[in-house]
Amino acid sequence: MISRATKSYSKEEVLKLLDPIVAEWFSRFPDVTPPQRYAILHIYEGRNVLIASPTGSGKTLAAFISIISELFKMARNRELQDAVYCVYVSPLRSLNYDIYKNLKRPLEEIQELAKSMGVEVGEVRVAVRTGDTTQSERASMLRKPPHILITTPESLAIVLCAPKFKQKLKTVKWVIVDEIHELCSSKRGVHLTLSLERLQELVEKPFARIGLSATIHPLEAVAEFLVGFDDNGEARDCVVVDTRFVKPIELRVSCPVGDLVHTPAQLTTERMYRLLKRLIRFHTSTLVFTNTRSGTERVVYHLSKLRVVDGDELAAHHSSLSREIRRSVEDRLKEGKMKAVVCSTSLELGIDIGHIDLVVQIGSPKSISRCLQRVGRSGHALDRTSKGVLIGLEVDDLVEDAVMVSEAYKGRLDRVYIPENCLDVLAQHLVGMALEKKWPVKEAYRVIRRSYCYRNLPYESLKSVLKYLSGHYSTLEVYRVYGKIWYDEEEGVFGRRGALLRLIYSTNIGTIPDEVAVKVFTVDGKWVGSIEEEFLERLSPGDVFILGGKPYEFRYAVGLRAYVAPKEGARPTVPSWFSEMLPLSFDLGEAIGSFRDEMFKLVAGEGKSKVVRRLVEEYRCDRNAANSIYMYFELMDSFLRLLNVEERPNNRVILVEDYLDPGGRQNIIFHCVFGRRVNDALSRAYAYALMRMLGINVAVTVGDTGFVLTLPHRMLRDVGALLEAVSAGNLRRILKDAVRHTEMVRRRFRHCATRSLMILRNYKGREVKVSRQMFNAQVLMDVVEEIDGFPVLEETYREVLEDLMDVKTAESVLREVEMGLRRFHAMRPYDLPSPFAHGLVLQGLSDVVLMDDKRALLQRLYDQVLERVQSAGCAASQ
């Protein structure tokens, strides 16, 4: 049962619980913080606890203090064995080392304090075990195991299979999972849930699970993810400590110019950097977030040119930089030597970076939770205000930012997405389990289903994975895919097979795929440049993209080579930065849909000054941002009245435009602010249905606020027929057919095959090149497509449809259309796109035109719409 902590305990009450010496050390703190007031007693009692609290609120100490107290009590009573009692898991190695340093000091201080009081206590040891840990350090840990083991999900899975070290884990009483919001939304989290259930099988008594998170929702689902289920299918007990909103926060939305449409791009950029300069100089230390690594480098370059601060007080921080550079930046931040650091996502998580005054976000962070996570990096102390400025350079970004800020102040957060029934992760763990002992299948099924992520796993799916792992598909042996385990289906038992299995398992474990650069050649063999593999997966034959400033049409790919043909003058269908874009969360999209509804009513019923004032007061916009948002909605309203459209796009009405562009192309534009994951699913399904209806390829442009299907000329006369072709009942089938032969599926198949140990990254201690892995994957995929229900291929489609896209929510949207809770409204054909469509129409042009030219095109479209509505007498006063 999941319950909420409702009673707050005073410092005196907390101190009474602790070992006297630990209590003496802890009493040095002025007071206990909110997460400590609510959580420490429950952890002391050995209960499962999930603590949700902002950065710098003391939740890590809340998790550890009772454990440290118990360990010192055991040490004093000479009960502390050479064994592991507490396992701390986090997704980041850098955070692990941070925690190690932050634990080592209090442990030493408590020992010194005991000595000064004449009390003899033994040593409480702490150590880090990750992929960076040397062989000699591992041997040392075996001789003298740490009482507190700090590790990653991958290393935990490895030690569970280490014959000697796993014996040291039988004494585990506590497991702390840090940054659980980061783990639970990926396959690394799925992997961890199975490791925890396997650890529970090893430990004689139930251990307490303590989860630490910043902003996350819904807490009940995350608590179940942490604690799992018992053998009867009931969620284990967990106390949720919800102190997410205890820290004061100050958010505002800013726009560098009063008119984003008509101000030249260069001037807008100059004003943006001038605004950044003011903010950085006014504050002691500023953290600037961009949404891409390239954006981070660009901002640092411009700030350096402006000489905003001394050169050694400004730095970039992102995942493409070396660990040494990143650590140097983190250390200098902690020491107060940096005035400004610009990063993408790399400093979102809880590494201690010391005191930050202000967080600036350039562009929309795309989710309320991410916004609060980033802004929460400022005002590190609990009594200090977390300050954030969100700078929008496009009107859609301003709208997102305004709604995000409003939702944050109301305490609303986006729902986290947790993957389920991942068969590749399951395959990896079944091999790990086979290394331990001979397992009855039903007993293994019982353990697996205790994981939140596998609570609904069909028994047949487990058997399917066991068949694959045991070499049931003999055709695969021709391609050197051999059985890793033996499986007696009749007796219902499986176990290890082969002397090399332990080495294969330990050197191929994990869920993070190898990423590589893909070389691009013309079909006649001329080298053009390189693209990211993640970008390649978005390409389908016929897609046009920009490389080196020139457009190319994608033809096909073999291994790490992509083949293209020059396509002078063609419009790109996939922007080069697409793979780096953060997707808008569906929940924030729904809030934007409600905001649209509210704004259209205000624009129609109130004067400009009242609407602008409301945006300033309720949505924390500055005058520039409020003015730009008002003009955007006012012109959209006028445009729709010009076309005699009574409906307005919101979270209930999906407006569908039929726009004929100057090139004679027909563009079917869907206005649905569902975020890119949902829109990706819907757009591909409708494009595939359209392709089947008309027998031609359809270009697709996908954004967070909608999508565009482009035909070479006016071919679709009845938009209604297209809308009826896709339903909640057939969406998944259509989508699977639509993606079947794409690079996306081929690439994801390699990832799933690697996780399933079908393709090895490391064999007999030698690294297998990614190019070889890719070649093997392409060959194997052609083979397994002929095998009905092959689990690795089934998982590939599940990952693409459910994790990469969001087919479940897309189905839900279409179901609500069928129930009348939402509706489509198809507009008549017109030769101008609506203001809300301008961003989508120009999205594909972002690479082929310079920023100034894009701004000019945007301005031209805007002015054409304005001219039409004014000449028709439909425009309200500007």
Side-chain angles (χ1 to χ4, degrees), residues 740-803:
R740 191 176 298 278
H741 300 296
T742 61
E743 285 301 320
M744 178 190 299
V745 166
R746 290 199 169 273
R747 176 176 179 261
R748 296 283 167 159
F749 175 77
R750 173 172 70 83
H751 293 175
C752 295
T754 305
R755 289 189 201 101
S756 306
L757 307 180
M758 186 181 189
I759 293 171
L760 300 180
R761 290 180 294 167
N762 198 299
Y763 185 63
K764 293 184 180 178
R766 290 196 304 273
E767 198 173 308
V768 180
K769 288 184 178 177
V770 179
S771 54
R772 167 55 57 184
Q773 294 176 38
M774 290 184 77
F775 177 76
N776 291 346
Q778 291 192 340
V779 171
L780 287 170
M781 186 168 171
D782 292 336
V783 174
V784 300
E785 276 184 326
E786 303 302 315
I787 302 173
D788 187 43
F790 188 73
V792 181
L793 190 58
E794 290 296 301
E795 172 56 25
T796 302
Y797 284 116
R798 190 213 61 78
E799 181 178 311
V800 169
L801 268 58
E802 294 183 11
D803 300 351

Side-chain angles (χ1 to χ4, degrees), residues 119-170:
V119 179
E120 187 63 41
V121 293
E123 181 189 22
V124 174
R125 295 186 297 270
V126 58
V128 178
R129 176 151 179 170
T130 68
D132 293 337
T133 307
T134 64
Q135 201 61 47
S136 62
E137 287 171 327
R138 290 176 193 181
S140 172
M141 277 185 216
L142 193 56
R143 287 191 303 272
K144 286 194 103 178
H147 302 116
I148 301 174
L149 174 67
I150 297 171
T151 190
T152 59
E154 294 77 15
S155 291
L156 176 60
I158 289 171
V159 297
L160 279 170
C161 283
K164 293 178 182 174
F165 194 84
K166 70 181 281 189
Q167 300 305 317
K168 309 294 183 182
L169 296 172
K170 286 188 171 183

Side-chain angles (χ1 to χ4, degrees), residues 423-444:
L423 299 183
D424 51 354
V425 176
L426 177 62
Q428 199 173 115
H429 273 277
L430 286 169
V431 171
M433 292 169 81
L435 281 168
E436 296 172 5
K437 64 174 188 179
K438 187 165 79 171
W439 282 84
V441 176
K442 289 198 172 163
E443 188 184 334

Side-chain angles (χ1 to χ4, degrees), residues 22 52 57 103 112 157 164 216 270 304 364 391 440 500 563 581 586 672 729 746 824 837 870:
V22 176
S57 60
L103 268 181
E112 288 299 317
K164 293 178 182 174
I216 197 162
E270 280 176 17
S304 299
S364 165
I391 300 175
L500 284 174
Y563 291 90
M581 286 168 59
F586 178 75
C672 42
R746 290 199 169 273
F824 288 107
Q870 284 180 336

Side-chain angles (χ1 to χ4, degrees), residues 244-532:
R244 289 172 295 180
F245 304 103
V246 295
K247 239 180 136 216
I249 194 161
E250 185 184 301
L251 297 170
R252 58 189 173 93
V253 181
S254 190
C255 181
V257 295
D259 182 352
L260 274 175
V261 175
H262 294 97
T263 307
Q266 187 178 346
L267 182 57
T268 301
T269 305
E270 280 176 17
R271 293 269 177 86
M272 190 269 285
Y273 284 113
R274 203 182 299 167
L275 172 60
L276 261 183
K277 184 177 179 178
R278 278 201 313 273
L279 291 169
I280 290 167
R281 287 193 168 170
F282 185 74
H283 294 87
T284 308
S285 187
T286 302
L287 194 55
V288 181
F289 280 99
T290 67
N291 286 343
T292 63
R293 295 185 292 275
S294 55
T296 293
E297 294 290 356
R298 194 164 54 246
V299 171
V300 169
Y301 170 74
H302 283 291
L303 290 177
S304 299
K305 274 178 67 179
L306 283 171
R307 296 183 180 169
V308 174
V309 294
D310 291 343
D312 58 356
E313 293 181 314
L314 169 70
H317 188 289
H318 57 73
S319 56
S320 297
L321 296 171
S322 71
R323 187 182 304 148
E324 290 72 26
I325 291 173
R326 293 200 309 270
R327 285 220 180 134
S328 170
V329 172
E330 290 159 19
D331 289 342
R332 282 185 290 149
L333 252 179
K334 225 175 289 187
E335 292 160 10
K337 294 177 181 176
M338 303 297 294
K339 280 285 287 181
V341 172
V342 187
C343 65
S344 51
T345 58
S346 55
L347 287 176
E348 271 182 19
L349 298 185
I351 306 163
D352 182 8
I353 51 174
H355 175 69
I356 302 287
D357 288 75
L358 175 72
V359 167
V360 177
Q361 166 72 47
I362 299 173
S364 165
K366 299 292 179 182
S367 91
I368 311 157
S369 300
R370 188 179 293 112
C371 172
L372 290 173
Q373 177 77 12
R374 290 179 172 184
V375 173
R377 304 299 275 149
S378 67
H380 198 74
L382 193 59
D383 58 345
R384 296 184 70 89
T385 300
S386 291
K387 286 174 66 178
V389 176
L390 283 63
I391 300 175
L393 300 174
E394 294 184 5
V395 188
D396 281 327
D397 274 356
L398 289 176
V399 170
E400 285 178 22
D401 287 345
V403 175
M404 199 179 307
V405 167
S406 173
E407 293 292 290
Y409 273 106
K410 290 171 186 167
R412 294 176 186 160
L413 298 168
D414 328 85
R415 283 170 297 170
V416 68
Y417 168 72
I418 303 174
E420 294 182 23
N421 294 337
C422 308
L423 299 183
D424 51 354
V425 176
L426 177 62
Q428 199 173 115
H429 273 277
L430 286 169
V431 171
M433 292 169 81
L435 281 168
E436 296 172 5
K437 64 174 188 179
K438 187 165 79 171
W439 282 84
V441 176
K442 289 198 172 163
E443 188 184 334
Y445 186 55
R446 173 184 61 79
V447 173
I448 290 159
R449 287 188 69 206
R450 293 197 311 230
S451 155
Y452 174 88
C453 301
Y454 293 95
R455 67 197 187 282
N456 299 317
L457 179 75
Y459 189 61
E460 289 306 311
S461 295
L462 173 62
K463 287 170 67 177
S464 167
V465 176
L466 286 169
K467 279 183 184 177
Y468 144 65
L469 287 172
S470 62
H472 175 82
Y473 304 102
S474 54
T475 50
L476 293 176
E477 289 194 1
V478 178
Y479 304 94
R480 297 188 177 181
V481 177
Y482 302 107
K484 310 289 186 299
I485 64 171
W486 59 263
Y487 167 44
D488 185 329
E489 191 173 359
E490 208 169 290
E491 198 182 326
V493 181
F494 70 94
R496 65 174 295 173
R497 171 176 166 182
L500 284 174
L501 186 61
R502 188 176 302 281
L503 179 63
I504 287 171
Y505 178 75
S506 62
T507 55
N508 287 277
I509 202 163
T511 62
I512 303 171
D514 292 328
E515 297 291 347
V516 289
V518 176
K519 289 186 176 178
V520 179
F521 294 85
T522 58
V523 283
D524 56 4
K526 183 183 173 186
W527 184 63
V528 179
S530 296
I531 56 175
E532 291 178 358

